[in-house]
């Protein structure tokens, strides 16, 4: 039997009517001849509520009990989904993570899969079960405790099952109808992409496009799982949504596929750091230990005169999420006090945003950066930091110009007609 994985996110199972609507979509695939593994999230808002309960009960909670509590939302929807399917005469049953079992590491709330043995579910399919409904987001550690995979983890559960069961496709049902060239709230010219390459999706996901958990895209890329994002509120057919796939499956792609942004960034600059081997390690080591997610890094070598002598110094600029600035400053001040680093001053700019263009076509096209910078110049937007990868160019700019920059770049790279 060909097999499909269908994943329903929180808004797709928000209440009993939504669950019935999702079940009807599953039933239709069964009627088309598929065995189906359904992965469900908790009802929307439920996981947040559970996290809140844990924090109110025990501020410095035991991570194992946190996982025991927050994983429970998915157990409820798994059972209700199986019941809804049974009511529609579809032979279905639910599986909690430990029943499969979904084996994971013991890193509570950030667990990774170690194995997903197929035997239990395969046996039931062989006995006539048509749908296995599996609770997303959770697993079982070697110690026999319940684990969770991190917020948004049901996407990753879905991809892992698609890989383990050689699914024809992994359909991620959500509240948007696919992946867009940019956020439609910023420009009405944004439009849905029919296909996007894994690597592009990975960049977009890590740049903050929230449709898919980044890890799920990594996993899909590694195991070549064809992943489709589509809306559970539309009438859907085999061409709906956006297919995330290998670049070989994309016949003709634009140089730039999407424009992404991240609004709440900050830029920090350490002035006149002594320039010697090990200085970057001495700065970014303490930042990493303090849990600061450093993104862009720029180093400028210069000179300063001290006691009549020219000495080599460097200005070190980095960006991080704006809510980590205090933590970053504390880490730098402590490193300075401990004699690990020397610098003259630490300058913070908390009014910046990051705007990025992403596309696999950049590999084979020159001039994308120049076109991007020209478009921003034409709008009088000053660029503060630039970073590039093979398929991405990102700039830091003043936050108040973010929307303008996204619109200008969307126009410049002709995305409205993609
Ligand atoms: N319910 C979990 C969360 O909200 C997992 C998921 O929905 O993917 O993070
Ligand atoms: Mg999600």
């Amino acid at each position: 039997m060909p097999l499909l994985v269908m994943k329903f996110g929180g808004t797709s199972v928000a209440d009993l009517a939504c669950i019935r609507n999702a079940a009807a979509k599953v039933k239709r695939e069964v009627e088309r001849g598929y065995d189906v593994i359904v992965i469900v999230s908790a009802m929307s808002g439920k996981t947040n509520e559970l996290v809140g309960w844990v924090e109110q009960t025990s501020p410095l909670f035991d991570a194992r009990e946190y996982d025991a509590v927050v994983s429970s939302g998915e157990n409820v929807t798994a059972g209700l989904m199986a019941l809804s399917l049974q009511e529609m005469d579809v032979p279905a049953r639910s599986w909690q993570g430990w029943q499969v079992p979904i084996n994971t590491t013991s890193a509570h709330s950030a667990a990774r899969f170690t194995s997903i043995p197929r035997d239990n579910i395969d046996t039931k399919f062989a006995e006539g079960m048509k749908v296995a409904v599996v609770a997303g987001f959770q697993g079982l550690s070697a110690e026999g405790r319940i684990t969770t995979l991190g917020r948004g983890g049901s996407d990753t559960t879905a991809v892992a099952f698609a890989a383990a069961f050689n699914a024809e496709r992994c359909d991620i049902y959500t509240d948007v109808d696919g992946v867009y060239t940019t956020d439609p709230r910023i420009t009405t010219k944004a439009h849905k992409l029919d296909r996007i390459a894994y690597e592009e999706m990975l960049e977009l996901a890590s740049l903050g496009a929230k449709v898919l958990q980044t890890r799920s895209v990594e996993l899909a890329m590694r195991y070549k799982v064809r992943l489709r994002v589509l809306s559970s509120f539309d009438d859907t057919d085999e061409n709906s949504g956006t297919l995330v796939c290998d670049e070989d499956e994309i016949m003709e792609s634009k140089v730039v596929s999407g424009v992404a942004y991240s609004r709440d960034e900050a830029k920090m600059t350490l002035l006149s750091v002594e320039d010697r081997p090990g200085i970057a390690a001495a700065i970014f080591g303490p930042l990493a230990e303090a849990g600061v997610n450093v993104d862009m890094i720029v180093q400028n070598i210069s000179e300063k005169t001290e006691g009549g002598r020219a000495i080599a110094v460097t200005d070190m600029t980095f960006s991080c999420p704006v809510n980590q600035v205090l933590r970053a400053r504390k880490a730098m001040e402590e490193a300075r006090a401990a004699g690990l680093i020397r610098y003259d001053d630490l300058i913070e700019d908390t009014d910046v945003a990051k705007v990025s263009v992403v596309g696999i076509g950049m590999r084979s096209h020159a001039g994308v950066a120049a076109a991007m910078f020209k478009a921003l110049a034409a709008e009088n937007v000053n660029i503060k930091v630039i970073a590039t990868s093979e398929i991405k160019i990102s700039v830091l700019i003043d936050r108040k110009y973010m929307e303008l920059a996204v619109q200008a770049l969307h126009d410049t790279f002709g995305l409205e007609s993609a």
Side-chain angles (χ1 to χ4, degrees), residues 109-397:
S109 81
R112 293 187 164 257
F113 298 112
T114 49
S115 69
I116 302 180
R118 292 177 49 153
D119 333 6
N120 285 336
I121 288 181
D122 276 344
T123 306
K124 291 292 167 193
F125 275 132
E127 288 170 8
M129 173 187 72
K130 297 307 293 174
V131 181
V133 185
V134 179
F137 178 53
Q138 54 176 256
L140 177 68
S141 73
E143 292 77 27
R145 304 296 301 259
I146 304 299
T147 56
T148 64
L149 308 173
R151 298 305 304 271
S154 298
D155 293 337
T156 306
T157 307
V159 174
F161 272 80
F165 285 81
N166 293 317
E168 194 172 295
R169 213 176 48 236
C170 179
D171 286 346
I172 307 278
Y173 284 86
T174 177
D175 50 7
V176 292
D177 61 352
V179 179
Y180 276 68
T181 49
T182 195
D183 186 340
R185 286 169 303 187
I186 292 196
T187 167
T188 49
K189 294 178 191 166
H191 77 275
K192 184 174 76 68
L193 293 159
D194 289 334
R195 290 179 181 221
I196 186 167
Y198 293 123
E199 284 178 273
E200 294 172 325
M201 192 62 230
L202 204 51
E203 293 283 10
L204 293 176
S206 54
L207 288 167
K210 293 198 179 55
V211 261
L212 290 172
Q213 197 196 35
T214 309
R215 268 174 66 200
S216 72
V217 186
E218 280 167 8
L219 206 61
M221 182 156 104
R222 175 143 22 108
Y223 292 99
K224 295 225 187 292
V225 171
R226 299 169 85 238
L227 198 60
R228 190 165 66 137
V229 177
L230 71 174
S231 166
S232 54
F233 303 106
D234 292 347
D235 267 338
T236 46
D237 60 33
E238 41 300 5
N239 300 314
S240 304
T242 300
L243 186 69
V244 187
C245 57
D246 204 82
E247 56 185 276
D248 297 345
E249 279 197 68
I250 301 174
M251 300 306 281
E252 207 182 335
S253 82
K254 296 227 163 196
V255 178
V256 167
S257 301
V259 182
Y261 65 86
S262 148
R263 189 185 299 273
D264 298 312
E265 299 286 316
K267 175 167 85 74
M268 303 184 80
T269 303
L270 293 160
L271 288 181
S272 298
V273 185
E274 61 177 322
D275 188 23
R276 60 166 173 83
I279 198 64
I283 292 171
F284 295 104
L287 287 171
E289 268 159 43
V292 177
N293 297 317
V294 172
D295 179 24
M296 303 160 127
I297 299 175
V298 179
Q299 176 176 254
N300 277 316
I301 309 291
S302 64
E303 263 186 4
K304 78 170 180 180
T305 332
E306 218 175 63
R309 261 182 342 115
I311 57 168
V313 290
T314 180
D315 292 342
M316 191 73 88
T317 298
F318 60 89
S319 69
C320 67
V322 74
N323 62 8
Q324 296 182 357
V325 165
L326 287 181
R327 222 189 287 178
R329 191 199 309 143
K330 186 158 167 272
M332 291 298 89
E333 283 167 356
E334 282 172 6
R336 172 148 84 167
L340 296 173
I341 49 172
R342 281 170 49 190
Y343 57 86
D344 285 355
D345 207 356
L346 174 56
I347 299 175
E348 297 166 4
D349 182 350
T350 51
D351 290 317
V352 293
K354 181 171 67 169
V355 175
S356 313
V357 298
V358 173
I360 44 174
M362 279 184 215
R363 288 203 200 106
S364 48
H365 281 79
V368 180
M372 177 177 190
F373 303 153
K374 216 162 124 189
L376 294 173
E379 300 291 345
N380 252 319
V381 176
N382 191 33
I383 300 172
K384 303 188 161 197
V385 179
I386 301 170
T388 63
S389 79
E390 214 189 0
I391 65 161
K392 175 184 74 176
I393 305 167
S394 299
V395 294
L396 273 192
I397 59 173

Side-chain angles (χ1 to χ4, degrees), residues 101-115:
I102 301 172
N103 297 312
T104 72
T105 61
S106 325
H108 285 276
S109 81
R112 293 187 164 257
F113 298 112
T114 49
S115 69

